[in-house]
Amino acid sequence: MRWVLPAQPRVLCFSIRRWHPAVHYRTVFQTRGDMKNGTILRLAVSPSRAARQILERIQGHSTDGRLEAMKELAKLSADTTFATEFINMEGVTVLTRLVEGGTKLLSHYSEMLAFTLTAFLELMDHGIVSWDIVSLTFIKQIAGFVSQPSVDVSILQRSLAILESMVLNSQALYHKIADEITVGQLICHLQVSNQEIQTYAIALINALFLKAPEDKRQEKPLNLMDVPVSEMANTFVQKHLRSIILNHVIRGNRPIKTEMAHQLYVLQVLTFNLLEERMMTKMDSNDQGQRDCIFELRRIAFDAESDSGGISGGGTEKRKAMYSKDYKMLGFTNHVNPAMDFLQTPPGMLALDNMLYLAKHHQDTYVRIVLENSSREDKHECPFGRSAIELTKMLCEILQVGELPNEGRNDYHPMFFTHERSFEEFFCICIQLLNKTWKEMRATAEDFNKVMQVVREQITRALTSKPNSLEQLKNKLRSLSYTEILRLRQSERLSQDDFQSKPIVELREKIQPEILELIKQQRLNRLCEGSSFRKTGNRRRQERFWFCRLALNHKVLHYGDLEDNVQGEVPYESLQEKIPVSDIKAVVTGKDCPHMKEKSALKQNKEVLELAFSILYDPDETLNFIAPNKYEYCIWIDGVNALLGREMNSELARTDMDTLLSMEMKLRLLDLENIQIPEVPPPIPKEPSSYDFVYHYG
């Protein structure tokens, strides 16, 4: 072909590509001089001709020629145009026949077999021809490669991939494959050191799991080496599979690659999807077994000495009234007929399953939560039944129970592979979190939705840290208190784009010392007002108190005993003892306090330990405190540190700093709303050539 440059254009750019996308010729001419006499370009062989030539070489008698042809076929099969031509020439049939005679190939030409399987998989993945064309002999041959104890790694990888594609693309082929492979054979491939093999094996397991019939999910003891893969969703199989994956994949010595992470995520989703049936099942109020589950919740919580039929003695109305009272204490919305609470789907019967699991496997926790809230004031009680139902629904949404896996995600959670009842254990941890957050927020029934929003944020934030065990999840959730969530929200608002520009950062740094001084003055003013504290070491039933306050000149701490726990200020004249601030050496907290090291103090609960602090002063003396609450504790710790010229590092100080700084920033930037603040100041203009432009008034 000859190209001749036209007369007009000064620049001509064009390219000619071969039909194969991986290789192309590109010729670019930028001046007329490059093509004065034209240029001859050689075009590649057409896809049809290339397919015919390769097919002839594959069926030839030369061993080396067949191997080279198969290598080229494995590369070219990824191209749709070539694949169409090759398939139209019955090329797939030729490849399947070669595989079906795989004994000879495997013995002498394993490399050729690997390229054959690669080409076959690439051709079939185009979707041009149905997977149902493969014969039972071909399936048996591929399954044989998977079941053989020692087979070439490349052959094993491609065999696993072919079986996965068969299962996903044909229900008929799934049943044929299920008769050829056992669960034990696949589990063996999870115990190898090659992560690529492990990834292909889990991908096949996921495909089999996805296609497993519903009636194969009953729990029964099985011999894994004899279990067909149709039993992949069996709970007994799942238990052993989870253990193998945890020990040989997740806790292996190799980092988890992206594709492996995706397959673990898919397996996690499919496992949780086993809960979908219970999640979408409404409670049948006429089912005696389901009613007995609710009665069991009541019996465990209140230790009623009665059978499922009720209480001996008394009439029916009396029993109904007693049950109604107990169900109200359990926190059901419908305390006359709590079965009505489980009609909403989701979460359906799954919520009742979780509640019963908590009551039976974590009985102390269950009884504590129920009794603690039933003895609380009505306006501050956390309704256990309603909370458990809504929490189950929330967990199903977070873990996407009932949804198909997303192709682009790989966010699996290792902790869900550490326990055979991971969802139920997850629920047990989160219901305790909900109860704790409810108390921290001092919530009432009207605040229920607000509490659930905070709990959702706590759970999602904890999951982003990918805890390796349920115990690590507990520790993470323990650190994400309601106060911490507020602090994180505030911090994230400040870290938004509007607050990251250099002028804003400089303004915040300029304001911060002013806010710090404001907080310091507030702490010192509170110390001047003083507070009453409970005396330590008092074993009498009637508690005794003492009072401490800072002098108005901030130079002396006055303290002394009180007859009663008075509210408000105590005159300095009534406080006989005093400590010069100049003699104070340090303030210590918690276990470092001398009065917390005494034997009697070891019996104090954790709450008392968190409120204890001591002032150390010359000569080797201490003044021991137990604050009445966390607020007073933070006030005094900050105040004493401010007196000593040290950093105020309490939780309250950080919260106050974030709140006040945010408010001050917003006030100062109020007039600049919707105005783009430049990253750098505008350049200073050059000086004028003269200053004669100044106008003088006459």
Side-chain angles (χ1 to χ4, degrees):
M1 180 182 291
R2 182 177 297 274
W3 297 84
V4 181
L5 187 69
Q8 289 297 328
R10 297 184 60 187
V11 178
L12 173 64
C13 297
F14 68 93
S15 66
I16 296 181
R17 297 177 181 266
R18 289 182 59 186
W19 52 268
H20 188 262
V23 182
H24 64 268
Y25 297 111
R26 181 184 293 271
T27 307
V28 179
F29 304 98
Q30 294 184 336
T31 64
R32 299 182 62 178
D34 292 334
M35 289 186 61
K36 288 182 179 180
N37 298 318
T39 301
I40 298 176
L41 302 179
R42 297 182 181 275
L43 299 181
V45 178
S46 68
S48 176
R49 184 176 179 182
R52 188 181 306 107
Q53 290 176 350
I54 290 177
L55 193 59
E56 291 173 355
R57 291 161 59 195
I58 288 175
Q59 296 174 304
H61 299 289
S62 170
T63 302
D64 293 337
R66 292 172 63 188
L67 178 59
E68 291 301 319
M70 202 63 75
K71 286 182 181 180
E72 188 174 350
L73 176 62
K75 293 179 181 179
L76 299 181
S77 296
D79 180 72
T80 304
T81 307
F82 173 84
T84 302
E85 296 292 342
F86 189 81
I87 291 172
N88 290 337
M89 297 176 186
E90 302 296 330
V92 172
T93 304
V94 174
L95 296 182
T96 55
R97 288 174 182 170
L98 289 174
V99 174
E100 290 171 1
T103 304
K104 180 180 178 181
L105 288 175
L106 184 60
S107 303
H108 304 285
Y109 308 107
S110 59
E111 186 180 8
M112 183 183 294
L113 178 59
F115 287 122
T116 303
L117 296 178
T118 301
F120 174 81
L121 185 60
E122 291 285 358
L123 292 168
M124 296 300 292
D125 279 346
H126 290 292
I128 300 172
V129 63
S130 171
W131 280 90
D132 290 321
I133 67 169
V134 299
S135 65
L136 182 60
T137 304
F138 181 85
I139 295 174
K140 287 180 178 290
Q141 191 65 42
I142 297 296
F145 299 148
V146 173
S147 60
Q148 288 182 18
S150 57
V151 66
D152 186 81
V153 172
S154 58
I155 295 175
L156 178 58
Q157 286 181 355
R158 288 153 180 79
S159 298
L160 290 169
I162 290 172
L163 290 177
E164 179 197 0
S165 295
M166 287 182 181
V167 171
L168 292 176
N169 289 284
S170 173
Q171 189 67 32
L173 292 181
Y174 163 79
H175 292 291
K176 294 178 181 179
I177 293 171
D179 295 333
E180 299 296 331
I181 304 177
T182 66
V183 174
Q185 292 169 349
L186 292 180
I187 287 180
C188 288
H189 296 310
L190 297 176
Q191 297 172 305
V192 299
S193 58
N194 188 324
Q195 190 173 120
E196 295 296 326
I197 295 296
Q198 291 176 326
T199 303
Y200 281 104
I202 294 181
L204 177 55
I205 288 171
N206 287 336
L208 294 165
F209 196 178
L210 188 63
K211 296 289 185 176
E214 293 289 334
D215 59 350
K216 298 294 185 180
R217 297 180 180 181
Q218 70 277 10
E219 185 170 2
K220 57 184 179 181
L222 300 166
N223 182 355
L224 293 181
M225 293 308 297
D226 300 328
V227 177
V229 291
S230 59
E231 300 279 354
M232 186 60 68
N234 180 282
T235 52
F236 178 80
V237 173
Q238 284 292 304
K239 177 181 177 181
H240 285 269
L241 181 62
R242 176 195 57 76
S243 177
I244 294 293
I245 290 176
L246 177 66
N247 295 322
H248 293 274
V249 179
I250 296 176
R251 292 179 177 173
N253 296 325
R254 301 168 303 280
I256 301 295
K257 297 181 180 179
T258 303
E259 181 57 28
M260 173 62 84
H262 173 69
Q263 295 301 333
L264 291 174
Y265 152 77
V266 172
L267 181 59
Q268 172 185 291
V269 172
L270 295 177
T271 303
F272 284 137
N273 281 354
L274 295 175
L275 303 170
E276 182 181 10
E277 181 181 356
R278 294 293 287 173
M279 181 183 74
M280 301 306 296
T281 301
K282 297 181 180 180
M283 186 169 188
D284 183 1
S285 58
N286 297 321
D287 190 319
Q288 183 61 42
Q290 295 179 4
R291 295 208 311 270
D292 288 345
C293 290
I294 297 179
F295 187 84
E296 184 70 3
L297 290 174
R298 172 188 170 277
R299 186 195 66 77
I300 295 175
F302 306 114
D303 197 23
E305 296 181 357
S306 61
D307 55 26
S308 60
I311 302 173
S312 59
T316 304
E317 294 301 324
K318 184 177 180 180
R319 288 201 305 272
K320 286 183 178 179
M322 182 174 181
Y323 287 171
S324 178
K325 179 182 177 182
D326 289 346
Y327 291 142
K328 183 177 181 181
M329 294 172 68
L330 277 171
F332 287 110
T333 303
N334 191 326
H335 48 83
V336 176
N337 182 13
M340 302 297 292
D341 287 14
F342 299 98
L343 295 181
Q344 180 187 4
T345 56
M349 289 297 293
L350 184 60
L352 182 59
D353 294 342
N354 284 339
M355 296 164 71
L356 203 58
Y357 181 89
L358 173 67
K360 290 184 175 181
H361 293 83
H362 301 276
Q363 185 170 330
D364 292 342
T365 300
Y366 169 69
V367 172
R368 176 179 57 80
I369 292 175
V370 173
L371 296 184
E372 183 181 275
N373 286 287
S374 62
S375 61
R376 201 179 293 175
E377 297 180 19
D378 287 345
K379 65 177 182 178
H380 288 299
E381 65 179 7
C382 177
F384 169 75
R386 182 186 177 191
S387 299
I389 293 171
E390 289 299 320
L391 178 63
T392 301
K393 181 180 178 181
M394 179 197 297
L395 297 183
C396 290
E397 293 172 355
I398 292 174
L399 299 178
Q400 298 181 317
V401 176
E403 298 183 19
L404 291 176
N406 190 314
E407 284 295 327
R409 293 182 58 179
N410 55 10
D411 50 338
Y412 77 99
H413 298 284
M415 67 177 184
F416 290 131
F417 292 86
T418 62
H419 199 284
E420 58 181 298
R421 303 289 295 273
S422 58
F423 184 82
E424 290 86 346
E425 289 292 325
F426 187 37
F427 168 83
C428 294
I429 293 172
C430 292
I431 193 67
Q432 297 178 68
L433 169 71
L434 193 154
N435 192 58
K436 172 176 170 286
T437 303
W438 185 282
K439 290 188 290 185
E440 291 175 346
M441 296 177 65
R442 295 189 57 79
T444 61
E446 291 76 13
D447 301 319
F448 186 86
N449 291 333
K450 294 180 181 178
V451 175
M452 295 304 295
Q453 290 174 4
V454 174
V455 171
R456 176 186 282 270
E457 185 173 349
Q458 290 170 316
I459 294 172
T460 52
R461 285 182 182 274
L463 289 179
T464 55
S465 66
K466 293 289 184 72
N468 291 320
S469 66
L470 293 169
E471 191 61 35
Q472 288 187 13
L473 174 68
K474 290 180 185 178
N475 296 332
K476 183 63 178 178
L477 290 174
R478 197 175 294 120
S479 66
L480 288 172
S481 62
Y482 176 57
T483 305
E484 179 65 12
I485 290 295
L486 293 179
R487 189 192 68 78
L488 290 172
R489 288 177 177 177
Q490 184 69 24
S491 176
E492 288 170 359
R493 282 196 293 267
L494 291 175
S495 63
Q496 292 175 354
D497 294 341
D498 292 343
F499 289 88
Q500 288 303 302
S501 62
K502 187 177 179 181
I504 301 299
V505 172
E506 291 177 353
L507 176 61
R508 186 163 61 244
E509 291 175 351
K510 182 180 179 180
I511 295 174
Q512 197 161 347
E514 302 174 13
I515 302 298
L516 192 62
E517 183 64 26
L518 182 64
I519 296 173
K520 176 182 175 181
Q521 291 302 320
Q522 188 270 342
R523 298 297 193 264
L524 294 177
N525 290 339
R526 279 289 292 112
L527 263 61
C528 290
E529 294 175 7
S531 303
S532 62
F533 301 92
R534 182 161 54 89
K535 290 183 72 71
T536 60
N538 177 35
R539 298 188 180 183
R540 301 193 320 180
R541 298 183 66 179
Q542 183 178 0
E543 292 185 331
R544 298 182 60 187
F545 297 87
W546 62 284
F547 198 88
C548 184
R549 63 183 299 191
L550 179 66
L552 295 178
N553 60 8
H554 300 172
K555 293 185 178 181
V556 178
L557 275 177
H558 298 267
Y559 66 96
D561 293 341
L562 295 175
E563 293 296 330
D564 297 309
N565 185 20
V566 298
Q567 300 295 328
E569 296 184 9
V570 175
Y572 290 108
E573 296 78 14
S574 302
L575 305 176
Q576 302 299 321
E577 305 293 335
K578 60 183 180 180
I579 302 173
V581 173
S582 58
D583 290 346
I584 298 177
K585 296 187 293 185
V587 57
V588 293
T589 61
K591 295 180 180 179
D592 296 329
C593 299
H595 60 308
M596 290 292 108
K597 296 180 181 179
E598 300 171 2
K599 292 184 178 180
S600 60
L602 295 177
K603 299 179 181 179
Q604 299 288 344
N605 57 36
K606 183 180 179 182
E607 184 178 355
V608 172
L609 190 65
E610 292 177 348
L611 298 176
F613 64 97
S614 298
I615 292 177
L616 310 182
Y617 62 96
D618 292 331
D620 298 328
E621 297 289 338
T622 62
L623 184 61
N624 300 319
F625 297 75
I626 295 179
N629 50 57
K630 192 69 175 178
Y631 176 79
E632 290 292 336
Y633 170 84
C634 293
I635 288 290
W636 277 84
I637 292 295
D638 290 340
V640 176
N641 280 326
L643 286 173
L644 300 178
R646 297 174 185 171
E647 180 183 0
M648 296 180 292
N649 53 9
S650 74
E651 186 177 324
L652 181 63
R654 291 193 295 269
T655 303
D656 287 349
M657 171 61 76
D658 292 341
T659 303
L660 294 173
L661 186 59
S662 174
M663 292 174 60
E664 185 66 21
M665 290 287 293
K666 290 178 180 178
L667 287 173
R668 297 201 182 192
L669 297 175
L670 197 59
D671 293 336
L672 297 179
E673 188 174 359
N674 298 326
I675 296 178
Q676 184 67 32
I677 301 175
E679 289 291 331
V680 295
I684 300 174
K686 296 180 180 180
E687 291 188 13
S689 56
S690 68
Y691 293 89
D692 296 337
F693 56 83
V694 178
Y695 180 80
H696 298 282
Y697 289 96

